[in-house]
Amino acid sequence: MRRRPLLAALGTGLATGLAGCFSNDGSGSPDSPSDTPTDDATPTPTDSEAPGDDTPDDGETPTGPVRWTIGVEGTPADPVHTAAGLRHVDGDGPARDRWLFVPTESGTLYALDPATGEERWTADLGKRVRDVVVAAGAGLVLAHAGDNTLGDDHLVRAFDADGTARWTFPGSAGANPWGPLELLAADGERVFVASRDDQPMSSGETVWSLDATDGTAAWTGEVGDPYSAAVSEDAVFVASRRAVDAFARPNGERLWRFFEDGVEYQFDTLRADGRTALFATTTGMDTGRMRAIGPDGSHAWQRDRFTTSVTLADALYLGGGPVTAVDPTTGDERWETQGESFLAGGPVADGRLFAGGGGIAAYDTAGGERLWTWTADADIVTAQAATGTAVYAGTGGGNDAPNVVYGRNASDGSERWTFETDSGLSELALGEYVYVGAADGTVYALRR
């Protein structure tokens, strides 16, 4: 089952233009939840609680984690066909300034009240909604839609907080790209989109830097078919087959291109730190390199090691075999775990890094000490979101995997709750609740 990490986006309310800080880095540390750990028995899904129902006023412990459910048309946050993810925007104001955006394979984008599941508005894009990005500083919600058929024309549409469509790409930029697109990133000023096709190459495609207000193109650059992208305040990086292209912000000046002629590899991850790109390349089942390319295009550092994923937080945490913490500036090792630990998502909160595998392991970010481990009744578990008091994980890795979400206490790994359904699940979005979409058309809000 293909899944895409879901992001908790910090803003100050779409209703007031989504002003404030917005981050698409899943490694941040959300605020601690208000509920306290419980020793609930393992619950089963239920919709018996009314929307918005929370911990009872009499102080009784809830019987299960489900706070509300809502049915949508088509698979929400379709984990198989579109790799789309739920998006939560956590405002500083009341619940009406908070939003949960649910993309579906049927082509509908739902905007929900995350506290109750109440529908605020919907938009029909006519094609599978492949991704949703919230540009908080611009007060925009951006939806990328398109089918999987060869040659299908994709589109990116920008919506205001009330659901009014503001602009659509490619029409807004006077461009007419044929075929699929990738919505790379967005912030308060720019939206970054790239073209691609079904034959991955290191050149021949276009990246557009679009004005967030009207969708017109500020600049364009040549890239390969995008595998991944990273955007910082200073630069835009696009990884394609055997290449990474770097462009300066805001003018689009090409900073450098990394390319190894004659070497076949794939990119496993890409992160940005200012004008420095951090990325892993894999040449075999257990061989590869972790590289940092500096602002002038020169090698800042390199580590010869197999790397499957990274988390960029207070350090750069490398997965693939042992988990290794390195200094992102110098590449110097800070610590490394003994044995293997599956780092996917790798949330960091309150001085703890959470890794998956056959369960969850918590590591002290200061020295790498393993604080605790917990083994699940599943082959693959990914730690997807965490706070100072809890870590949330899901299962995946194949059609026979159970469809389970685990809530564990961050301090010792003890159980908060376990949630299971018969339908495939998306990854998680963390807000005032933990949100997950099921393939049967149900969106669940689970207690934090």
Side-chain angles (χ1 to χ4, degrees):
M1 178 180 295
R2 184 186 179 195
R3 300 187 179 193
R4 183 184 180 112
L6 307 191
L7 308 177
L10 303 179
T12 55
L14 274 164
T16 56
L18 278 170
C21 297
F22 169 74
S23 169
N24 67 354
D25 183 358
S27 62
S29 300
D31 295 335
S32 299
S34 58
D35 56 331
T36 55
T38 63
D39 292 324
D40 298 341
T42 300
T44 55
T46 174
D47 58 4
S48 60
E49 295 175 278
D53 208 8
D54 207 335
T55 305
D57 293 337
D58 59 7
E60 293 181 0
T61 301
T63 58
V66 178
R67 285 297 168 263
W68 55 255
T69 66
I70 184 173
V72 298
E73 181 182 351
T75 302
D78 183 7
V80 177
H81 297 103
T82 65
L86 307 177
R87 291 293 183 270
H88 176 264
V89 180
D90 190 0
D92 292 335
R96 57 184 166 79
D97 289 336
R98 296 170 180 168
W99 302 74
L100 179 68
F101 297 101
V102 181
T104 68
E105 56 85 23
S106 66
T108 302
L109 173 65
Y110 290 80
L112 307 179
D113 183 333
T116 65
E118 179 184 358
E119 183 181 299
R120 292 175 173 174
W121 54 263
T122 63
D124 183 10
L125 283 89
K127 304 175 182 181
R128 287 174 172 167
V129 185
R130 308 182 68 87
D131 200 4
V132 175
V133 172
V134 179
L140 290 181
V141 182
L142 296 130
H144 168 211
D147 292 325
N148 290 334
T149 56
L150 179 64
D152 179 65
D153 290 330
H154 289 201
L155 61 88
V156 173
R157 184 165 294 160
F159 297 92
D160 288 321
D162 62 0
T164 302
R166 185 183 294 187
W167 52 263
T168 300
F169 177 84
S172 62
N176 187 29
W178 177 86
L181 297 170
E182 291 292 340
L183 174 57
L184 303 180
D187 58 22
E189 298 178 349
R190 294 286 185 264
V191 178
F192 301 97
V193 180
S195 63
R196 64 174 175 84
D197 57 34
D198 62 338
Q199 186 176 0
M201 300 291 288
S202 59
S203 62
E205 301 296 340
T206 303
V207 58
W208 288 267
S209 174
L210 306 178
D211 189 309
T213 59
D214 58 11
T216 56
W219 55 263
T220 64
E222 183 180 3
V223 296
D225 292 88
Y227 180 87
S228 59
V231 176
S232 70
E233 293 182 357
D234 301 318
V236 179
F237 306 93
V238 180
S240 58
R241 179 177 176 269
R242 298 194 297 148
V244 178
D245 292 287
F247 303 90
R249 298 189 64 182
N251 59 14
E253 174 192 358
R254 181 181 291 275
L255 296 174
W256 47 261
R257 157 166 268 231
F258 170 84
F259 182 83
E260 286 183 312
D261 193 18
V263 178
E264 289 292 336
Y265 58 77
Q266 68 177 35
F267 285 94
D268 291 300
T269 187
L270 174 65
R271 297 290 186 273
D273 184 7
R275 287 194 173 188
T276 299
L278 308 162
F279 56 89
T281 58
T282 298
T283 55
M285 291 298 294
D286 57 0
T287 59
R289 293 185 175 96
M290 186 71 201
R291 293 181 170 98
I293 307 298
D296 61 355
S298 62
H299 280 253
W301 55 263
Q302 177 175 302
R303 296 180 65 88
D304 292 332
R305 61 155 288 164
F306 177 72
T307 303
T308 57
S309 59
V310 305
T311 294
L312 179 59
D314 54 327
L316 184 67
Y317 300 99
L318 312 180
V323 176
T324 307
V326 302
D327 185 317
T329 302
T330 65
D332 293 339
E333 181 179 310
R334 295 182 179 176
W335 52 259
E336 186 170 86
T337 63
Q338 298 296 316
E340 296 187 358
S341 189
F342 182 67
L343 183 64
V348 174
D350 199 24
R352 301 182 184 95
L353 168 71
F354 299 96
I360 304 174
Y363 297 97
D364 177 16
T365 59
E369 176 189 1
R370 189 168 61 185
L371 303 174
W372 54 261
T373 60
W374 166 73
T375 301
D377 187 20
D379 293 333
I380 298 178
V381 175
T382 58
Q384 300 173 23
T387 69
T389 56
V391 56
Y392 306 98
T395 55
N399 294 329
D400 295 331
N403 303 300
V404 183
V405 179
Y406 304 101
R408 314 297 297 188
N409 287 316
S411 59
D412 58 9
S414 58
E415 183 178 24
R416 294 170 73 84
W417 45 258
T418 300
F419 170 80
E420 184 170 4
T421 74
D422 293 330
S423 297
L425 297 174
S426 71
E427 290 193 5
L428 310 176
L430 180 63
E432 51 258 68
Y433 298 128
V434 180
Y435 305 97
V436 66
D440 65 0
T442 305
V443 178
Y444 295 92
L446 308 177
R447 175 173 58 87
R448 279 177 49 159

